[in-house]
């Protein structure tokens, strides 16, 4: 296949043992193709491709040559550590469970114990200590009344790490055990994809390997800091840096819009170059199109506008958006606690107790549900039921709903941006960079660059583009 000069420079790079090559790849620039061709050019070497998630891993297995092992970081850890916990693996633990296990009497304390443990699990640290206690916990309780979160989290970790104990094991838990075992991976070169969203435990595990490494990603697509991710691309010393700026996804119009956002709010000096094709900014035309939002609450509100009117679906399937929990929250809101089936919600004495808890621990997922219930009130059960009944498979949808996080790595012919992104302009001038959180700017960039042919900016992005 014919490669661009940028791509060829990476494929031919003379990477030596122990060196690190950083590749900054903007949206749609064919980074996976470059890694594939790099591997094909070295058939005698054994390579490891580390994928961000299972679906990316499976797609890579179909593309890469046989000298490349495609794995997620958790699948690497599974055989040596995860397998012995297979009988008690869970995706998450809840505050009410921790209250029972540790004999605690406050949801807030249990929540902060979970957060303290989670901060340790995703860290590179060998031991759980006070730095893992969330800042919000210190603020909430104050120094004089701060519970011993470190000791409580350590106790939870000890029980979790025991295959015979009832406390279940988290996937990040067996990954942590794998990192602490200091494994030596049998590869000549490691290819780390989406490096900007790598958490410290993964970074430490891979960087301690003595082989050569290629770290590929886009620092402007770093949107998982809430999960403990760090931008490895910006923090790790490297031997050389290369750029992929030629996008094959969209044309010059969307490329210019994305470049304007990055230059204004992140001081990015490189311009994204669009493909030689026609693309447009403007209202979506006909269908299908994707509606992208920051929050599930914004998706729910917009989806109500299409009930009975258009065939709509959700990226990843409607089940992933936990709509029935909104109905359960409404029952608590209405004072009908006896009808609540959700075991977690049952542990709250009232709706006010749930809302106060979500506010105090900054649980934005539950706060979003609370706001939906307060806005739609008695309409909630009917809206949720109709949404579940009318939602169709992704490939059948005329309108496809997704959060930016779920849409990452995907692309759509037309994209319509929700209005729940931050304001970019004040009194006719762009906001100062220091007033916008980096991750918020990244969310706008990721959302806008999912579009292939047409992007409908929201009013806030449009106001900025009008004055560029």
């Amino acid at each position: 296949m014919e490669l661009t000069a940028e791509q060829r420079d990476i494929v031919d790079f003379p990477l030596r043992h122990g060196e690190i090559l950083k590749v900054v790849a903007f949206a749609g620039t064919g980074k996976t193709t470059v890694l594939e061709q790099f591997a094909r050019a070295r058939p005698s070497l054994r390579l490891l491709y580390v994928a961000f998630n299972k679906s990316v891993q499976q797609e890579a297995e179909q593309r890469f040559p046989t000298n490349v092992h495609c794995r997620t970081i958790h699948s690497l850890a599974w055989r040596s550590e995860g397998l012995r916990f297979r009988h008690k693996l869970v995706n998450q633990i809840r505050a009410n469970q921790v209250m029972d296990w540790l004999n605690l009497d406050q949801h807030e304390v249990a929540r902060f114990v979970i957060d303290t443990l989670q901060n340790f699990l995703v860290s590179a640290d060998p031991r759980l200590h006070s730095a893992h206690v969330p800042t919000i916990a210190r603020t909430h309780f104050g120094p004089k009344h701060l519970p011993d979160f470190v000791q409580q989290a350590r106790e939870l970790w000890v029980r979790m790490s025991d295959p015979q104990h009832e406390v279940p094991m988290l996937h990040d838990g067996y990954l942590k055990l794998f990192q602490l075992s200091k494994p030596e991976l049998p590869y000549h070169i490691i290819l780390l994809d989406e490096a900007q969203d790598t958490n410290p435990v993964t970074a430490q595990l891979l960087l301690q390997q003595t082989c050569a490494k290629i770290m590929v990603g886009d620092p402007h697509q770093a949107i998982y800091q809430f999960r403990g991710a760090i931008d490895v691309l910006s923090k790790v010393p490297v031997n050389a840096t290369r750029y992929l700026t030629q996008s094959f996804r969209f044309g010059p119009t969307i490329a210019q819009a994305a470049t304007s956002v990055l230059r204004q709010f992140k001081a990015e000096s490189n311009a994204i170059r669009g493909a030689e094709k026609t693309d447009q900014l403007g209202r979506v035309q006909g269908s299908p199109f994707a509606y992208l939002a920051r929050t599930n609450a914004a998706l729910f509100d917009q989806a109500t506008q299409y009930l009975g009117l258009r065939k709509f679906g959700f990226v990843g399937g409607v089940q992933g958006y936990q709509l029935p929990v909104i109905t359960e929250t409404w029952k608590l809101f209405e004072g009908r606690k006896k009808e609540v089936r959700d075991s977690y919600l049952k542990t709250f004495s009232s709706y006010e107790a749930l809302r106060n808890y979500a506010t105090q621990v900054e649980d934005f997922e539950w706060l979003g549900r609370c706001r939906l219930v307060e806005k739609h009130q008695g309409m909630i059960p009917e809206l949720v039921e109709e949404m579940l009944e009318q939602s169709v498979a992704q490939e059948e949808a005329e309108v496809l709903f997704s959060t930016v996080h779920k849409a990452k790595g995907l692309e759509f012919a037309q994209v319509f941006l929700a209005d729940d992104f931050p304001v970019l302009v004040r009194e006719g001038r762009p906001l100062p960079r220091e007033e916008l959180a980096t991750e918020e700017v990244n969310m706008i960039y990721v959302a806008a660059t999912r579009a292939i042919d047409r992007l409908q900016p929201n009013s806030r992005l449009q106001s900025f583009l009008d004055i560029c």
Side-chain angles (χ1 to χ4, degrees), residues 111-177:
R111 178 70 258 170
F112 290 137
V113 170
I114 295 171
D115 291 344
T116 300
L117 176 58
Q118 186 62 40
N119 288 342
F120 164 66
L121 296 182
V122 301
S123 75
D125 302 328
R127 182 171 172 78
L128 199 157
H129 53 77
S130 60
H132 300 126
V133 177
T135 302
I136 186 176
R138 301 177 186 278
T139 303
H140 178 70
F141 288 100
K144 292 184 179 180
H145 304 287
L146 188 70
D148 193 349
F149 290 119
V150 171
Q151 183 55 42
Q152 291 165 336
R154 283 176 179 170
E155 178 61 29
L156 190 60
W157 176 231
V158 167
R159 299 184 190 186
M160 183 180 292
S161 303
D162 181 354
Q164 305 307 317
H165 201 282
E166 65 169 339
V167 173
M169 173 58 75
L170 296 168
H171 291 276
D172 283 343
Y174 69 76
L175 174 59
K176 184 65 178 181
L177 292 173

Side-chain angles (χ1 to χ4, degrees), residues 5 48 83 87 126 153 173 284 286 289 298 303-304 338 417 436 462:
L48 170 68
L83 197 59
H87 61 289
V284 294
F289 66 86
T304 63
K338 291 183 178 179
L417 297 188
L436 279 172
Q462 189 62 60

Side-chain angles (χ1 to χ4, degrees), residues 22 26 35 40 54 60 80 123 128 140 166 202 208 240 275 285 294 331 346 378 419 424 457-458:
K22 176 171 76 171
F26 292 109
L35 294 179
R40 291 189 184 280
K54 188 68 174 179
S80 62
S123 75
L128 199 157
H140 178 70
E166 65 169 339
T202 300
Q208 72 183 4
Q285 296 182 350
R294 289 173 64 254
K331 292 176 183 177
K346 281 182 177 181
D419 278 325
L424 301 176
N458 59 23

Side-chain angles (χ1 to χ4, degrees), residues 48-276:
L48 170 68
Y49 170 81
V50 182
F52 183 71
N53 57 37
K54 188 68 174 179
S55 62
V56 173
Q57 174 198 336
Q58 292 171 338
E59 181 181 343
E61 287 173 337
Q62 303 301 314
R63 296 184 55 171
F64 280 85
T66 56
N67 61 318
V68 181
H69 287 177
C70 302
R71 300 285 188 271
T72 64
I73 196 67
H74 286 89
S75 68
L76 277 176
W78 173 254
R79 185 177 297 274
S80 62
E81 295 293 345
L83 197 59
R84 61 194 174 107
F85 297 102
R86 63 187 182 279
H87 61 289
K88 66 169 200 168
L89 271 177
V90 295
N91 292 321
Q92 65 174 350
I93 55 177
R94 286 177 153 185
N96 60 306
Q97 295 174 302
V98 175
M99 290 169 70
D100 290 338
W101 296 328
L102 300 183
N103 196 27
L104 303 175
D105 57 6
Q106 295 183 52
H107 283 90
E108 291 84 356
V109 173
R111 178 70 258 170
F112 290 137
V113 170
I114 295 171
D115 291 344
T116 300
L117 176 58
Q118 186 62 40
N119 288 342
F120 164 66
L121 296 182
V122 301
S123 75
D125 302 328
R127 182 171 172 78
L128 199 157
H129 53 77
S130 60
H132 300 126
V133 177
T135 302
I136 186 176
R138 301 177 186 278
T139 303
H140 178 70
F141 288 100
K144 292 184 179 180
H145 304 287
L146 188 70
D148 193 349
F149 290 119
V150 171
Q151 183 55 42
Q152 291 165 336
R154 283 176 179 170
E155 178 61 29
L156 190 60
W157 176 231
V158 167
R159 299 184 190 186
M160 183 180 292
S161 303
D162 181 354
Q164 305 307 317
H165 201 282
E166 65 169 339
V167 173
M169 173 58 75
L170 296 168
H171 291 276
D172 283 343
Y174 69 76
L175 174 59
K176 184 65 178 181
L177 292 173
F178 186 57
Q179 176 244 341
L180 293 175
S181 73
K182 299 181 179 180
E184 295 182 8
L185 304 179
Y187 299 99
H188 296 103
I189 301 174
I190 293 175
L191 310 175
L192 175 59
D193 202 357
E194 301 291 351
Q196 77 282 346
D197 284 325
T198 301
N199 57 29
V201 66
T202 300
Q204 199 275 341
L205 194 160
L206 297 178
L207 291 173
Q208 72 183 4
Q209 307 302 315
T210 59
C211 64
K213 306 165 193 75
I214 300 181
M215 302 190 306
V216 185
D218 183 351
H220 307 305
Q221 294 191 56
I223 59 173
Y224 285 96
Q225 292 177 12
F226 69 97
R227 291 184 182 174
I230 58 171
D231 180 9
V232 175
L233 288 170
S234 302
K235 297 182 181 299
V236 176
V238 299
N239 299 93
T241 300
R242 296 292 184 268
Y243 289 86
L244 292 174
T245 62
Q246 174 64 64
S247 180
F248 302 96
R249 177 177 299 155
F250 41 75
T253 305
I254 295 173
Q256 179 58 48
T259 297
S260 297
V261 169
L262 297 183
R263 281 186 169 168
Q264 179 63 46
F265 299 110
K266 299 193 69 179
E268 174 57 60
S269 59
N270 291 285
I272 305 171
R273 295 177 293 135
E276 294 182 3

Side-chain angles (χ1 to χ4, degrees), residues 182-448:
K182 299 181 179 180
E184 295 182 8
L185 304 179
Y187 299 99
H188 296 103
I189 301 174
I190 293 175
L191 310 175
L192 175 59
D193 202 357
E194 301 291 351
Q196 77 282 346
D197 284 325
T198 301
N199 57 29
V201 66
T202 300
Q204 199 275 341
L205 194 160
L206 297 178
L207 291 173
Q208 72 183 4
Q209 307 302 315
T210 59
C211 64
K213 306 165 193 75
I214 300 181
M215 302 190 306
V216 185
D218 183 351
H220 307 305
Q221 294 191 56
I223 59 173
Y224 285 96
Q225 292 177 12
F226 69 97
R227 291 184 182 174
I230 58 171
D231 180 9
V232 175
L233 288 170
S234 302
K235 297 182 181 299
V236 176
V238 299
N239 299 93
T241 300
R242 296 292 184 268
Y243 289 86
L244 292 174
T245 62
Q246 174 64 64
S247 180
F248 302 96
R249 177 177 299 155
F250 41 75
T253 305
I254 295 173
Q256 179 58 48
T259 297
S260 297
V261 169
L262 297 183
R263 281 186 169 168
Q264 179 63 46
F265 299 110
K266 299 193 69 179
E268 174 57 60
S269 59
N270 291 285
I272 305 171
R273 295 177 293 135
E276 294 182 3
K277 54 173 284 187
T278 300
D279 63 343
Q280 295 179 316
L281 299 181
R283 295 182 65 86
V284 294
Q285 296 182 350
S287 58
F289 66 86
Y291 183 86
L292 304 185
R294 289 173 64 254
T295 63
N296 285 322
L299 293 182
F300 185 93
D301 277 335
Q302 187 68 11
T304 63
Q305 306 301 309
Y306 292 95
L307 290 171
L309 299 176
R310 302 283 289 272
K311 292 171 66 177
F312 64 86
F314 292 82
V315 167
V318 69
Q319 295 78 12
Y321 294 78
Q322 297 185 305
L323 298 184
V325 179
I326 300 174
T327 302
E328 293 290 283
T329 307
W330 169 80
K331 292 176 183 177
L332 198 62
F333 173 78
E334 289 289 313
R336 297 158 63 171
K337 185 180 177 181
K338 291 183 178 179
E339 299 178 25
V340 174
R341 298 178 181 178
D342 186 275
S343 60
Y344 179 64
L345 284 175
K346 281 182 177 181
T347 62
F348 290 93
S349 59
S350 65
Y351 175 79
E352 289 71 25
L354 169 66
R355 207 187 199 297
N356 289 338
Y357 158 77
T359 301
Q360 289 167 3
V361 304
E362 295 186 354
D363 190 324
F364 298 113
E365 184 176 4
W366 280 106
L367 282 173
R369 291 174 184 140
C370 288
R371 292 182 185 121
L372 284 176
V373 164
E374 291 164 11
K375 177 178 180 179
H376 297 284
Q377 298 194 17
M379 292 295 294
I380 285 291
E382 181 181 351
L383 290 174
V384 169
E385 183 178 357
E386 290 183 4
M387 214 168 286
L388 290 170
E389 289 179 351
Q390 295 182 29
S391 178
V392 300
Q394 190 168 323
E395 57 273 12
E396 300 174 22
E398 298 174 330
V399 183
L400 193 57
F401 294 107
S402 178
T403 61
V404 177
H405 289 97
K406 286 184 181 290
K408 192 165 181 292
L410 303 179
E411 60 185 22
F412 312 94
Q414 301 187 93
V415 169
F416 181 175
L417 297 188
D419 278 325
D420 66 340
F421 293 87
V423 170
L424 301 176
V425 175
R426 183 192 301 130
E427 297 179 353
R429 299 176 65 87
L431 288 181
R433 287 175 191 151
E434 60 271 16
E435 289 191 26
L436 279 172
T438 297
E439 192 158 333
E440 293 289 357
V441 178
N442 291 353
M443 293 271 277
I444 297 170
Y445 166 72
V446 171

